[in-house]
Amino acid sequence: MVSRDFFRFNTTNTISASTDDEAILDEAVAWCDRSELLFSRVDPASELFRLNRAEGRPTDVDPELATFIETALSYCERADGLFDVTMGSATQRWDFKQQVIPAREDMAAALRHVDYRGVSVEGTTVTLRDPQACIDLGGIAKGYIADGILALLRERGVEHALVNLGGNVAVMGGKPDGTPWRVGIRKPLPSSALPLLDSFATVSVRDGSVVTSGVYERAFERDGTLYHHILDPRTGFPAQTDLLSATLVARTSLDADGLSTALIIMGADRALAFVEADPALEAVFVTTDGDVLATSGIGDAVPFELLG
């Protein structure tokens, strides 16, 4: 196995693959660079930035971006709008680093431009029917990119690999020794409060993805209220939920990434029911009371082990 650590998407990433050809890893990193030029909301050189500045005009974009937007819209529908790719007008009013909280009236104005149903894709032409709408793919792009890296490695003859895009983990082929990959589920505390690899549980996966969303990262407290980055599309403010974290285990990283945030917003009961209804998904939840909940198949199809 050879590994490559690199910084993209505002986070540290790792690719490990059963190859001695460093050029393959170069290709994987280049795929990430290309993805940023397609999907970044803030990079003026990106295709998405150009689309968001089109003021509602039908815009011909890179075919890959058009296809991905169409795919992302299907996840919005699947999550009943609790995941919405047009949240850009709302998310850009928050600054969690500088602890900027938008005014209620400003957020109400922003929410008038949030509705994924106002986006249409016809071939390579994308139209935002609301000229002030803004697409933000940050809640799903890493899943798509992780799947793309694994596909590239597979095409190059790699049989075993692990991709970790800032905690968004996708694996294939198991480990070279024949055992499954063991992916840790981090304790629901900020990165600054615990070692990077401090986990409370692990799941064993041979081929698939493990993605965790939580209210503890990119968060700050003000006057006794926790403000976290998981925004409810219905309010534009941090979701009021009884979940600290939701870890989704799926065959594809796109599924795991595209649905994990919505599960947080759903809350424990609805999230459990949602995942149980889909045989392709398993999940582990941590509630605000400190309870750990797991779906019925987690210890069978996806072995699950509590640590300590």
Side-chain angles (χ1 to χ4, degrees):
M1 300 286 291
V2 296
S3 294
R4 177 77 57 85
D5 296 325
F6 59 100
F7 192 85
R8 297 291 188 284
F9 322 122
N10 202 33
T11 190
T12 300
N13 310 280
T14 300
I15 300 173
S16 298
S18 57
T19 179
D20 55 6
D21 187 351
E22 292 282 350
I24 294 177
L25 298 187
D26 291 339
E27 284 189 81
V29 175
W31 161 261
C32 293
D33 291 335
R34 169 175 162 73
S35 297
E36 280 205 295
L37 285 174
L38 289 175
F39 307 142
S40 173
R41 176 178 63 82
V42 298
D43 185 347
S46 81
E47 281 282 279
L48 182 59
F49 188 94
R50 182 170 64 86
L51 173 62
N52 282 333
R53 296 304 184 276
E55 298 180 337
R57 294 184 298 274
T59 304
D60 191 55
V61 300
D62 185 283
E64 189 172 353
L65 175 59
T67 299
F68 183 41
I69 289 175
E70 194 166 28
T71 299
L73 292 173
S74 72
Y75 282 85
C76 298
E77 184 174 1
R78 189 173 171 186
D80 293 326
L82 294 183
F83 169 65
D84 193 315
V85 293
T86 62
M87 274 291 285
S89 60
T91 56
Q92 64 190 2
R93 283 169 165 76
W94 287 88
D95 187 333
F96 289 91
K97 286 185 178 179
Q98 300 299 321
Q99 301 188 3
V100 173
I101 303 171
R104 292 279 173 180
E105 56 270 24
D106 290 342
M107 185 53 65
L111 287 181
R112 288 197 285 269
H113 309 293
V114 174
D115 188 349
Y116 71 92
R117 293 165 296 186
V119 181
S120 66
V121 182
E122 297 182 10
T124 60
T125 300
V126 182
T127 304
L128 309 183
R129 289 192 285 272
D130 180 343
Q132 296 185 59
C134 179
I135 291 179
D136 186 340
L137 297 171
I140 193 172
K142 284 200 294 185
Y144 175 87
I145 295 166
D147 287 339
I149 292 172
L150 288 185
L152 185 154
L153 296 176
R154 196 175 293 114
E155 289 174 3
R156 299 297 182 268
V158 174
E159 297 181 353
H160 312 277
L162 179 146
V163 175
N164 186 342
L165 303 183
N168 184 318
V169 178
V171 299
M172 72 177 190
K175 294 182 179 180
D177 64 5
T179 61
W181 296 98
R182 297 185 70 203
V183 182
I185 303 176
R186 292 183 60 250
K187 293 178 180 178
L189 296 169
S191 296
S192 58
L194 76 168
L196 185 61
L197 300 179
D198 197 354
S199 303
F200 75 89
T202 65
V203 289
S204 297
V205 184
R206 189 171 298 276
D207 293 281
S209 180
V210 181
V211 173
T212 299
S213 289
V215 302
Y216 46 86
E217 295 286 19
R218 290 178 59 204
F220 62 91
E221 189 171 322
R222 178 83 56 82
D223 299 326
T225 299
L226 178 69
Y227 294 91
H228 58 81
H229 75 286
I230 299 179
L231 305 181
D232 189 327
R234 297 167 297 191
T235 66
F237 280 82
Q240 300 295 307
T241 179
D242 60 352
L243 288 176
L244 287 177
S245 70
T247 298
L248 200 53
V249 185
R251 289 291 297 175
T252 69
S253 199
L254 187 63
D255 268 358
D257 197 22
L259 296 171
S260 60
T261 300
L263 295 177
I264 292 283
I265 301 172
M266 289 179 190
D269 290 343
R270 185 178 173 189
L272 269 172
F274 182 94
V275 177
E276 291 281 17
D278 190 332
L281 303 176
E282 300 294 345
V284 178
F285 302 103
V286 180
T287 73
T288 51
D289 292 331
D291 295 327
V292 177
L293 311 174
T295 50
S296 56
I298 195 74
D300 189 9
V302 183
F304 167 58
E305 177 187 0
L306 284 171
L307 303 177

